[in-house]
Amino acid sequence: MAPQSHLIPSRSAKRAQYDKETIYSILDEALFCTISYAAGNKPFSIPTAFVRYENKLYIHGSVGSHFIWELEKGVPVCISVTLIDALVVAKSAFSHSVNYRSVVLFSQGVKMEEDALKFSVLEWLTNKIVPNSWDYLRPMKENEVRKTTVLAFDIDEASAKTRTGMPNDEDEDKPLPIWSGIIPIETTRRDPVPDDLSRNLPLPVHLQPGKA
């Protein structure tokens, strides 16, 4: 994936990566993205769930959503995703940083018209948010699918940017008796909590600890 000029970062350019494997791995781990676009000379930035399949990123929304209406027109968008792995604590505030993995991509939305494909996208997205849950749930009705718009975005103009490792302290700061290192950050799924209607129901296998 060759970098376009607008994909080359102005700072820390050496952290940029353009291979699909890196980009895909970050997109597949992240649950939410932020879609930014301009409409009526005003900027908009909307967080939403998404799923990647092959070289496309998919989102869904109500057919009555103004957000979806704008995007299905094919307006140019910038989609961003960030995963935070650790806070990097240096010996000076100036050298503090973050270990992260991020993706920025530029694309345009295309409305999916085929119900079969919409069903597939909704299944992929559902199983991404709650793994292995689609077949357990009450099947989605055709009228529910008709009330849902699915948009696809090509992942052709995309770049990843990452940082790993310990602080990069200035040479004169390294001898200082000030603690430095990293504070790892993890996003974990805790044990499910039932609502009142499910208190007497057994926890399904796909929701048991270690499964989701």
Side-chain angles (χ1 to χ4, degrees):
M1 186 177 292
Q4 305 292 319
S5 60
H6 57 284
L7 292 174
I8 300 175
S10 59
R11 297 187 68 251
S12 302
K14 63 182 179 182
R15 295 178 183 166
Q17 301 177 62
Y18 303 96
D19 61 286
K20 287 186 176 181
E21 291 75 15
T22 299
I23 292 168
Y24 289 171
S25 68
I26 296 170
L27 294 177
D28 292 347
E29 183 175 342
L31 297 178
F32 302 96
C33 67
T34 299
I35 301 182
S36 302
Y37 62 99
N41 293 320
K42 294 181 179 180
F44 294 87
S45 192
I46 309 296
T48 186
F50 76 96
V51 66
R52 179 196 70 85
Y53 185 78
E54 294 181 342
N55 196 48
K56 293 185 184 294
L57 182 151
Y58 295 93
I59 69 167
H60 78 299
S62 168
V63 295
S65 165
H66 291 285
F67 162 58
I68 293 295
W69 288 354
E70 288 295 333
L71 296 188
E72 69 181 46
K73 295 176 185 177
V75 299
V77 302
C78 176
I79 302 176
S80 60
V81 166
T82 302
L83 299 171
I84 302 299
D85 296 317
L87 303 177
V88 180
V89 181
K91 295 181 182 297
S92 71
F94 181 80
S95 296
H96 278 16
S97 189
V98 176
N99 284 346
Y100 67 94
R101 290 164 289 150
S102 66
V103 168
V104 172
L105 69 92
F106 297 88
S107 191
Q108 294 172 289
V110 176
K111 185 178 179 180
M112 300 291 97
E113 301 289 357
E114 297 180 12
D115 283 349
L117 178 56
K118 291 172 66 176
F119 262 106
S120 293
V121 171
L122 295 172
E123 178 180 358
W124 300 334
L125 179 59
T126 300
N127 282 334
K128 179 182 182 182
I129 302 299
V130 183
N132 304 310
S133 63
W134 179 264
D135 291 335
Y136 172 81
L137 300 171
R138 185 264 289 162
M140 187 167 286
K141 301 174 183 178
E142 290 186 8
N143 69 317
E144 293 173 331
V145 176
R146 288 195 297 270
K147 294 177 181 178
T148 304
T149 298
V150 171
L151 301 178
F153 299 84
D154 286 329
I155 312 174
D156 290 327
E157 295 185 43
S159 65
K161 196 175 178 185
T162 64
R163 188 201 187 279
T164 60
M166 291 293 178
N168 295 320
D169 280 301
E170 300 292 338
D171 288 341
E172 62 267 27
D173 292 336
K174 291 178 179 179
L176 296 175
I178 298 173
W179 189 93
S180 55
I182 64 171
I183 302 173
I185 293 179
E186 296 181 359
T187 299
T188 59
R189 297 182 186 231
R190 307 296 294 273
D191 292 347
V193 179
D195 63 14
D196 290 340
L197 298 176
S198 300
R199 292 189 184 282
N200 296 321
L201 295 178
L203 192 65
V205 173
H206 70 277
L207 292 180
Q208 292 177 6
K211 298 292 185 181

